[in-house]
Amino acid sequence: MDDDAEARAGSIRYLADRQCAAVGVGHADLARHLKRDTFSLVVAKLRFTPGDGIAVLRQIRARSAVPVILVVSEGCTEAERILYIELGADDVLCGRLNPRELLARIRATLRRQEIGRRSVSPAFRGGYRFEGWELDLRSRTLKDPAGRIVKTTMAEYALLSALLEAPGRPLSRARLIRATRAHEDVHDRTIDAQVRRLRHRIEVDPSAPKLIRTRRGAGYVLDASVEILF
């Protein structure tokens, strides 16, 4: 997604030449395409202000859990990058767009997504129930105690799955980074941002979490009774 038609066409050609099927759209057409088509990944090149990235991510996440790579300007700060991840971005590229790096990031994101799909043991295809919530590993959906589906990003799903596999046991940030298949250049603060985002999904009061607790110096722990579903 890019409002610069010439740059967009160049990126599409580069990806097509490398056997990556791609569709280029402007910001104004994004919602229509998300509603009509199914995508494996969205690359969104932002305009000039942080507010553009926030608006784009909210627009995408209101309609889809598709992985999103944001391409932002060189002036993007660390705080803005963390905010984008909190709002649902799976990766953030800062600075001038390098087609080779973009392709590498696309492949890495799709690879992590596929690994996540195959990570569930063939002998275990059920899910987890905790405090009325259900995480279904077959359909990769999260349901609240009222039975409503709650949309999650790929990173949120992987993070919650890791916590549910070890209830009551603190998991370090390094382990959670591995569990979410994050890039090696992602810092601990990214995991903190993902945890905050997940708390907003499942906690009654995210400012006083009861389910995902922080263990100082140890990481995070899921404080709940967990039932395995088959």
Side-chain angles (χ1 to χ4, degrees), residues 1 8 10-16 18-23 39-45 66-71 90-93 97-115 117 154 181 183:
M1 184 191 74
R8 187 170 69 228
S11 297
I12 294 299
R13 284 195 300 272
Y14 182 88
L15 294 173
R18 286 150 184 84
Q19 291 74 52
C20 292
V23 176
F39 298 100
S40 299
L41 181 142
V42 171
V43 177
K45 185 175 181 182
V66 63
V68 178
I69 297 177
L70 288 187
V71 181
D90 294 274
D91 197 1
V92 180
L93 269 168
L97 180 61
N98 181 316
R100 290 182 62 189
E101 181 179 4
L102 174 61
L103 179 59
R105 299 270 188 165
I106 288 173
R107 287 173 171 167
T109 300
L110 294 176
R111 186 165 59 246
R112 292 198 307 273
Q113 186 181 43
E114 181 59 27
I115 289 172
R117 289 196 187 104
M154 181 175 63
R181 275 75 179 184
H183 291 295

Side-chain angles (χ1 to χ4, degrees), residues 201-219:
R201 305 278 192 200
I202 69 174
E203 296 280 3
V204 174
D205 181 2
S207 64
K210 302 294 185 183
L211 294 176
I212 303 177
R213 295 184 182 273
T214 303
R215 291 287 177 85
R216 190 175 298 277

